[in-house]
Amino acid sequence: TVWTFTLGQFFGVWGVPPGDGCLGGYCSGHGSLLRVYADGKPVGDPSGLALTEHQEIVVAFGTPQQLPRPLPTRYAYPRGL
């Protein structure tokens, strides 16, 4: 059987499913935000993000100044992966 797994399921394995602006103990507030990007684009609901082959996912927590720059949009996987 072929399954499509989500980012929420991935984090749920560790008991930290994303939701309500939080991921585990990291919650948006006091100037810090939880942000999730897939292939360089913001993700509205990270728990529902379907995981696909060679997808570049960035989970960032902090202030806007702490966001990675440049934001990764893809990774050069070795041939055959």
Side-chain angles (χ1 to χ4, degrees):
T1 303
V2 176
W3 293 94
T4 300
F5 293 99
T6 66
L7 188 61
Q9 290 171 311
F10 176 82
F11 281 113
V13 168
W14 294 316
V16 289
D20 296 327
C22 294
L23 180 61
Y26 295 96
C27 294
S28 296
H30 306 291
S32 293
L33 295 172
L34 176 66
R35 296 176 183 88
V36 178
Y37 298 86
D39 298 326
K41 297 178 182 135
V43 174
D45 177 13
S47 62
L49 176 65
L51 302 178
T52 61
E53 185 176 350
H54 295 169
Q55 189 175 35
E56 183 73 22
I57 298 173
V58 173
V59 178
F61 179 79
T63 65
Q65 295 79 19
Q66 294 170 319
L67 194 62
R69 300 268 192 263
L71 191 62
T73 58
R74 71 168 127 159
Y75 176 78
Y77 288 90
R79 189 176 191 131
L81 288 182

